[in-house]
Amino acid sequence: MPIIIKTPDQITKMRVACRLASEVLDYIAPFVQPGVTTGELDTLCHDYMVNVQGCIPAPLNYAPPGHKPYPKSICTSVNHQVCHGVPGDKKLKSGDIVNLDITTIKDGWHGDTSRMFAVGEASIQAKRLNQITYECMWKGIQQVRPGGHFGDIGHAIQKYAESHGYSVVREFCGHGVGSRFHEDPQVLHYGKPGTGERLEQGMIFTIEPMINVGKKDIRSLGDGWSIVTKDHSLSAQWEHSVLVTETGWEVLTVSSGSPPPPAFVTPA
Ligand code: MF3
Ligand code: CO
Ligand code: CO
C-alpha cells in the first residue's frame, strides 16, 4: 500500500485524536503508584476514553492478521516486557518501570502515543534507560523533514542507543497512522542514512523505539500478545505520532502533561 498523504482537514482531525491520546497519559500518570494493578490502569483509561473523551480505545478487540483479538484497551509493558503487555491482576511495585501505550479513535482518526513511568523509587539504571530511550525517540523525530529518508530516522535512533551500550529491538517498528491504526510505511528504529522511502509533507507516522539494556532479542509470551526480552533485561519504549510539515516535523501527540523535549531539540 502506498503511504497516505493527509489533507489539511484530515490533519486537523488527527491533531485532535492525538492530543486526546496524550491527555489519557496525563490523566493516568498520578495513578501509576506501587500497589495498583495494570488491570486497574486499563479500566481507568478505558472509562476515561469512552465516558469523558468520547473516544474508542483502538486496542480493544484489535485483531491484525495472525493475532487473536487484543482483550484490553491499553498496553502495559512492565520491566523486561518490550511491548503489547496485556493488563491484568499483577500489582506494580516500587522500582518497576512501565510503558503505557494509548491509542484513541476520535471521529474515525487514530492517535497513538506511549510514555514510560517509574513506579515509586526506580534504580538509577532503570531511570537512565527511560531517559535515553526518550532521547532516542527525539533523535528520530529530529530527522523528520520532507525529502529526508526513513533510514535517516532509524539510523539516528540506533546510533544513539548503541552509543549508550543499549540495543534496538528489530521485530517491531513505527508505522503510518490515520484512519487506520497501522498503515504503511514501517518506520524502522535502525538503519542507514539515505535509505528507504522519502518523506513527504502530509505524511503522519509514529516513532516508537523499543530499547533494551541487554541483547536485542525478544520472544513472545503464551498470551499471544506480550513481548519480552529473551535475556530478561529491562526494556523501554516511548512513542509519538509525528506529522511531516513543509519545513520539518510537528509532534501531534502533545498535551499539557507531555514531558518537554530534551535540551538538544531545537524547533523544526
Ligand atoms: N499501540 C501499539 C503501537 O504503538 C499497538 C498495540 S496493538 C494492540 O503500535 F493490539 F496490542 F493494542
Ligand atoms: Co504505534
Ligand atoms: Co502505541
Side-chain angles (χ1 to χ4, degrees), residues 21-253:
S22 187
E23 285 177 352
V24 178
L25 291 168
D26 297 352
Y27 160 75
I28 201 64
F31 294 98
V32 185
Q33 299 292 341
V36 76
T37 69
T38 51
E40 287 162 352
L41 296 176
D42 175 73
T43 301
L44 286 163
C45 289
H46 175 95
D47 291 349
Y48 189 77
M49 284 187 262
V50 172
N51 300 327
V52 177
Q53 296 183 321
C55 288
I56 298 168
L60 188 60
N61 296 316
Y62 183 61
H67 282 273
K68 57 181 182 180
Y70 188 77
K72 297 288 178 179
S73 295
I74 70 171
C75 298
T76 56
S77 303
V78 184
N79 294 336
H80 71 295
Q81 291 188 322
V82 173
C83 63
H84 303 167
V86 179
D89 296 336
K90 232 180 102 155
K91 283 188 163 77
L92 295 178
K93 58 180 192 310
S94 183
D96 285 345
I97 56 171
V98 58
N99 174 278
L100 302 183
D101 194 338
I102 306 293
T103 311
T104 52
I105 309 173
K106 182 69 171 179
D107 203 9
W109 297 88
H110 292 70
D112 190 7
T113 186
S114 79
R115 298 181 198 160
M116 292 302 297
F117 297 86
V119 183
E121 290 300 317
S123 68
I124 288 169
Q125 188 208 39
K127 284 193 277 200
R128 180 169 178 273
L129 173 67
N130 283 357
Q131 178 65 29
I132 300 296
T133 304
Y134 185 62
E135 291 170 4
C136 281
M137 174 183 69
W138 276 100
K139 287 286 175 184
I141 292 169
Q142 278 194 300
Q143 294 297 320
V144 173
R145 59 176 181 85
H149 291 264
F150 280 96
D152 304 346
I153 299 171
H155 177 74
I157 293 168
Q158 181 181 14
K159 192 170 122 201
Y160 196 73
E162 292 178 355
S163 77
H164 289 84
Y166 296 148
S167 63
V168 178
V169 171
R170 303 295 203 268
E171 289 83 351
F172 297 89
C173 51
H175 51 91
V177 60
S179 62
R180 288 183 302 128
F181 195 162
H182 294 104
E183 300 178 351
D184 278 339
Q186 300 198 17
V187 182
L188 304 184
H189 302 120
Y190 59 94
K192 298 210 187 324
T195 65
E197 295 215 53
R198 275 185 189 276
L199 281 65
E200 286 177 42
Q201 185 180 349
M203 290 179 179
I204 300 177
F205 50 83
T206 71
I207 298 179
E208 49 179 301
M210 283 140 274
I211 305 295
N212 300 346
V213 167
K215 295 202 166 72
K216 65 183 188 317
D217 309 75
I218 56 155
R219 64 185 183 84
S220 37
L221 293 186
D223 64 12
W225 279 100
S226 303
I227 304 296
V228 298
T229 54
K230 213 172 190 174
D231 62 8
H232 276 238
S233 66
L234 283 181
S235 185
Q237 178 179 30
W238 289 79
E239 175 175 26
H240 268 316
S241 301
V242 182
L243 165 71
V244 185
T245 65
E246 191 178 350
T247 53
W249 48 266
E250 177 186 335
V251 173
L252 301 182
T253 36

